[in-house]
Amino acid sequence: MIIGGVAAGLSAASQAKRQSPESEVVVLERSGDVSYAACGMPYNLFFRDKPVEKLYALSLETIRKERGIDYRLRQEVTAIDPVGKVVSVTDLATGKGYQERYDFLVYATGNSAIRLTAPGFDDSDVFCFKTLDDTRHVKQFIYDKAPKRAVLVGAGYTNLEVADVLTNLKIKPVILEKAPTILPSFCEEARAKVLDKVKERGIELITGVDIAEKAGGEVRSSAGVFPADLVVVAVGTRPNTALFAAAGGVLGTAGAAKVDRYLRTNLDSVFAGGDCAEHYVRQLGTNSYFPLGPAANKHGRVIGNNVANPGRMMEFWGIDQTAVFKFFELSIATTGLNERQLQALGKDYVKVFVDSPTRGEFPGGSTMRVVLFCQKGDGLLLGAQIVGEDVVAKRLDVLATAIYKQMTVFEIAELDLAYSPPYSPVWDPILVAANVAVKKV
């Protein structure tokens, strides 16, 4: 029995059915949507006539008929009895309740957007950007109402992506951020490139702002009053763990379900994965909370294997905190430990950064800034961040692989990376940064 059918839930169901075809696998999904690619939601706004259902990972028919999964939409689990191994369910279409027994339970309920409680933020022109229904509502509002000005509350990944999209839709965004700076997991050198792009694009970004209220078409704050035809709130998320906790489940980091390396919870035969659960970070050697799609899908695959093979479970190998997002022409990417974590851990580290061209003598190239954090002395790569245009994400993947294999900058500097002017300079930006680091460690 799987509660939640998006990334972790569907991955767990698919893997369990693949490993144990004779098993009955039931997915109970509260929404009316099957598993979907949430990271593509902002970009769907570009296409008026492209339905959000295009973001579905698989059709309902494929899930049910080809994968043999009993996938039920609009089913809300209201209680878990871990002793009797029973869940109570309400069919939201009919209002009728029923119970289902399980041998193994997978808790994969995801997380929810944190909403502002200030007056006016429950108005119909205020949106979050977390679910496909959110996307439907924002999209309909944009194309029906033709807003001209938007206030975005929060300056994290989501609202920076939304600012990009809205600007291209000729909607002028203002970004209000409570913290004193944006992107706290990025170092100053990486953040500076993003702020340069904010200025270049003429986006008003104000930090250190307290929101007072929304009154009609205005957002009132400690930084002044801002006209708004549209408001998007993206100030963080919280794990959906109330149901789990009510059943006696132990919570861990950030209020997520506490799990071991096999993704088992403290409840007998209950696993948890995805955005409602903790994530093991290899470099930290402990659990943290890093709710992104790749980790959720990996969680699901491990859980699916473990419920199908309880006598030979596999561990979740962990993550290295790799992430990337787009902001206009920039790609902004990170992997490994960030500078705040390094300082909190008391690491003796060296930071280097280089600005390098992305290609040789070939049209269309640009520049990127590569930041490396490496251990003083032995040069072990601890973290990396890249901000720039052109091919950023795949270069970061090289550094993510290096962190996974515990490589030093001495070794990275000797990598035999592909060269041709359309793709890189003779000295790839990664090699340039590694060679600078070699001289400083």
Side-chain angles (χ1 to χ4, degrees):
M1 191 68 58
I2 299 171
I3 307 175
V6 188
L10 182 58
S11 291
S14 299
Q15 183 71 354
K17 197 67 178 176
R18 190 177 300 117
Q19 295 276 336
S20 181
E22 73 284 357
S23 296
E24 182 183 4
V25 178
V26 178
V27 176
L28 303 170
E29 168 55 42
R30 183 172 60 181
S31 77
D33 292 305
V34 299
S35 181
Y36 55 89
C39 293
M41 293 191 302
Y43 307 108
N44 182 265
L45 298 180
F46 280 127
F47 308 104
R48 180 172 190 165
D49 298 322
K50 180 181 286 189
V52 298
E53 289 79 11
K54 287 289 186 180
L55 296 170
Y56 283 177
L58 296 169
S59 70
L60 184 59
E61 182 179 20
T62 298
I63 294 170
R64 288 176 172 172
K65 292 186 176 180
E66 294 185 17
R67 299 204 173 181
I69 297 166
D70 183 358
Y71 194 107
R72 307 176 192 174
L73 295 171
R74 305 285 292 161
Q75 308 295 307
E76 181 174 13
V77 177
T78 57
I80 301 168
D81 175 4
V83 177
K85 293 190 174 182
V86 173
V87 294
S88 299
V89 189
T90 298
D91 184 330
L92 297 178
T94 65
K96 293 182 179 179
Y98 63 98
Q99 291 188 322
E100 288 279 5
R101 296 189 175 276
Y102 63 84
D103 298 305
F104 293 99
L105 181 68
V106 180
Y107 192 84
T109 54
N111 59 16
S112 297
I114 296 172
R115 298 181 180 271
L116 295 185
T117 58
F121 279 88
D122 54 357
D123 289 353
S124 61
D125 56 355
V126 178
F127 304 93
C128 291
F129 220 94
K130 189 69 183 68
T131 67
L132 280 191
D133 267 346
D134 293 331
T135 309
R136 290 185 181 99
H137 295 151
V138 175
K139 190 172 184 177
Q140 182 176 358
F141 186 90
I142 287 173
Y143 288 104
D144 286 354
K145 304 294 185 181
K148 298 299 181 185
R149 300 165 298 182
V151 170
L152 310 183
V153 183
Y157 293 12
T158 297
N159 266 350
L160 289 176
E161 290 176 331
V162 170
D164 177 351
V165 172
L166 293 183
T167 299
N168 281 285
L169 291 173
K170 310 304 181 187
I171 302 170
K172 185 173 178 59
V174 173
I175 305 175
L176 305 178
E177 169 59 48
K178 183 178 179 64
T181 187
I182 67 169
L183 303 176
S185 63
F186 284 83
C187 66
E188 182 179 349
E189 292 81 2
R191 193 183 305 120
K193 296 283 286 183
V194 182
L195 292 173
D196 287 345
K197 183 61 66 174
V198 169
K199 184 176 181 180
E200 175 191 317
R201 283 291 182 159
I203 295 174
E204 190 173 2
L205 166 64
I206 307 173
T207 58
V209 179
D210 290 317
I211 302 296
E213 65 174 342
K214 178 183 175 292
E218 295 180 338
V219 173
R220 297 173 181 171
S221 75
S222 60
V225 178
F226 299 89
D229 304 317
L230 164 72
V231 178
V232 177
V233 177
V235 293
T237 60
R238 58 169 57 96
N240 294 326
T241 50
L243 181 67
F244 174 72
V250 173
L251 304 183
T253 306
K258 188 174 183 60
V259 293
D260 65 10
R261 292 293 302 279
Y262 300 97
L263 302 177
R264 297 175 296 194
T265 71
N266 66 301
L267 302 179
D268 180 38
S269 302
V270 178
F271 295 76
D275 292 354
C276 66
E278 295 180 322
H279 301 82
Y280 180 74
V281 179
R282 278 186 282 259
Q283 288 175 289
L284 297 176
T286 188
N287 285 352
S288 184
Y289 186 60
F290 198 77
L292 288 178
N297 280 286
K298 291 172 186 175
H299 268 186
R301 179 169 290 190
V302 170
I303 292 172
N305 175 84
N306 291 350
V307 298
N309 303 282
R312 47 186 178 89
M313 292 188 187
M314 62 184 294
E315 288 187 338
F316 174 59
W317 280 45
I319 60 172
D320 293 316
Q321 303 184 125
T322 304
V324 64
F325 71 98
K326 175 185 175 295
F327 183 60
F328 295 100
E329 299 83 7
L330 291 182
S331 294
I332 304 155
T334 182
T335 188
L337 299 176
N338 62 55
E339 192 161 21
R340 288 190 175 190
Q341 289 175 318
L342 291 169
Q343 291 169 351
L345 293 168
K347 293 283 189 180
D348 187 11
Y349 70 96
V350 169
K351 174 173 64 174
V352 301
F353 75 93
V354 299
D355 292 321
S356 172
T358 60
R359 305 186 190 187
E361 290 299 322
F362 188 85
S366 185
T367 61
M368 64 174 58
R369 177 166 292 177
V370 181
V371 184
L372 301 183
F373 305 107
C374 45
Q375 197 157 271
K376 185 73 173 174
D378 63 8
L380 178 69
L381 184 64
L382 301 172
Q385 297 178 346
I386 305 179
V387 180
E389 301 178 20
D390 212 353
V391 184
V392 167
K394 291 307 168 187
R395 283 184 165 100
L396 188 90
D397 285 344
V398 173
L399 296 173
T401 304
I403 287 173
Y404 180 85
K405 295 304 292 183
Q406 297 184 308
M407 293 176 66
T408 69
V409 290
F410 299 98
E411 294 170 311
I412 294 168
E414 299 301 325
L415 288 175
D416 184 18
L417 301 181
Y419 160 68
S420 181
Y423 307 110
S424 77
V426 174
W427 287 96
D428 189 88
I430 289 174
L431 301 180
V432 174
N435 276 293
V436 172
V438 163
K439 298 171 184 176
K440 294 193 174 183
V441 296

